[in-house]
Amino acid sequence: MLIFLLKRLAQAIPLLLLVIICTFLLVHAAPGGPFTSERSVPPQVLAALNAQYNLDLPIWQQIGLYIGHLLQWDFGPSFKFPGRSVTEMISTGFPLSAELSLYALLFAVILGLPAGILAAYKANTGLDYGPMTVAMLGICLPSFVLGPLLTLSFGIGLGWLPVTGWGESSGDKILPAITLGASYAAYLARIMRGSLIEVLGQDFIRTARAKGVSEFAVLWRHALRPALPPVISFLGPAVAGLLAGSFVVETLFQIPGLGRFFIQAAFNRDYTMVLGTTIFYAALIFGCNILADLILVWLDPRQKLHD
């Protein structure tokens, strides 16, 4: 297991370095700059600001200095928020984004897995077509469409749930979690259904039924574990996708998470904030994928042979 983990880390580190370099080049290639605004800045002041933040150096030298700071866990200062570092802003916004993603993941798992199991066990019946139709709707509706629909229906129309804020009342987490987790619940339901139908058609399931094993035992003791690897493979990038994709939901529901910092940084051309959040999200994606691979190996040790 340790060798498997080291191999995955050896693959992830060069990719993360490539992400850093590409993001750095793309951010600096964008028109304008962090100190460009409607109000003109005197040339000598602009030159002093660029020198203070090393923006007057050649691009490859800037990349080298930036990577050196990253090795010290320093994402640099924010250009648009004087006195605040990017590390401080990430540590402030990420817990809220992580909490939102956790609720969305719980919603997706609690709704998606049972729906997929039911649809697979009752394949080609009404209990299959109904959940899968709802799942297809969940896949087709993006969060920026579903969020306003839920807000209009349950927030403004019925007045059951608050439509903005976070942590101010007991119900303000429901609509954002559903908005963010709905599409993932739909994908989980379809993946679980397909995988479980395939497992239920295997010879060892027919053998278990021929021996008189109850249907409950066939499903929960024999079929469910072999059907989980595709679900685990999806959950790795799904967790990262929930974290990285929460900025739309945070903007819709006015949640002061890391996603809103990222949006503001993009509009303000805050180079270090854009770089810091992008690299942080990229590291999360790599970490979640590696964790999913480790769980897959634990479920089926033969996975190491195909590495």
Side-chain angles (χ1 to χ4, degrees), residues 23-41:
T23 306
F24 200 96
L25 294 175
L26 288 172
V27 166
H28 283 73
F35 307 115
T36 303
S37 61
E38 296 180 0
R39 183 178 178 181
S40 60
V41 179

Side-chain angles (χ1 to χ4, degrees), residues 14-278:
L15 289 175
L16 185 59
L17 181 61
L18 182 62
V19 169
I20 294 172
I21 295 174
C22 291
T23 306
F24 200 96
L25 294 175
L26 288 172
V27 166
H28 283 73
F35 307 115
T36 303
S37 61
E38 296 180 0
R39 183 178 178 181
S40 60
V41 179
Q44 58 272 25
V45 175
L46 182 60
L49 288 171
N50 288 332
Q52 180 181 352
Y53 292 103
N54 297 321
L55 297 177
D56 57 340
L57 298 177
I59 189 68
W60 293 109
Q61 192 172 349
Q62 293 184 46
I63 293 176
L65 290 172
Y66 187 75
I67 294 176
H69 287 297
L70 286 180
L71 295 176
Q72 303 173 18
W73 305 102
D74 180 14
F75 288 100
S78 171
F79 290 166
K80 289 296 182 178
F81 295 92
R84 300 190 66 185
S85 67
V86 175
T87 305
E88 176 189 351
M89 297 177 70
I90 290 176
S91 63
T92 300
F94 178 69
L96 295 179
S97 298
E99 186 181 2
L100 170 61
S101 300
L102 176 61
Y103 291 137
L105 180 63
L106 289 175
F107 170 78
V109 171
I110 291 172
L111 183 66
L113 291 186
I117 293 171
L118 177 64
Y121 191 68
K122 299 292 184 180
N124 301 319
T125 67
L127 294 175
D128 178 16
Y129 299 141
M132 289 303 102
T133 300
V134 175
M136 184 58 67
L137 290 175
I139 293 173
C140 295
L141 281 176
S143 58
F144 60 83
V145 174
L146 181 60
L149 288 177
L150 293 176
T151 299
L152 289 172
S153 301
F154 297 98
I156 298 175
L158 298 174
W160 290 353
L161 297 168
V163 298
T164 59
W166 188 260
E168 299 174 2
S169 65
S170 58
D172 57 7
K173 300 177 176 63
I174 296 176
L175 291 183
I178 294 175
T179 302
L180 184 58
S183 62
Y184 291 93
Y187 280 115
L188 276 176
R190 294 182 64 84
I191 292 171
M192 187 74 247
R193 175 189 180 275
S195 179
L196 190 56
I197 285 178
E198 182 179 354
V199 171
L200 288 173
Q202 299 293 321
D203 291 338
F204 72 93
I205 297 295
R206 287 192 287 268
T207 301
R209 284 172 171 164
K211 289 181 178 180
V213 178
S214 67
E215 285 298 314
F216 180 85
V218 167
L219 180 62
W220 295 102
R221 291 177 55 189
H222 297 277
L224 191 58
R225 179 165 177 165
L228 283 179
V231 176
I232 301 299
S233 298
F234 172 77
L235 282 178
V239 172
L242 285 168
L243 291 167
S246 63
F247 64 88
V248 175
V249 178
E250 291 175 17
T251 303
L252 286 173
F253 293 96
Q254 299 297 305
I255 300 172
L258 185 56
R260 292 190 65 191
F261 283 144
F262 182 78
I263 296 295
Q264 292 172 2
F267 281 112
N268 293 332
R269 299 183 182 89
D270 192 343
Y271 289 172
T272 49
M273 190 64 200
V274 172
L275 283 166
T277 49
T278 302

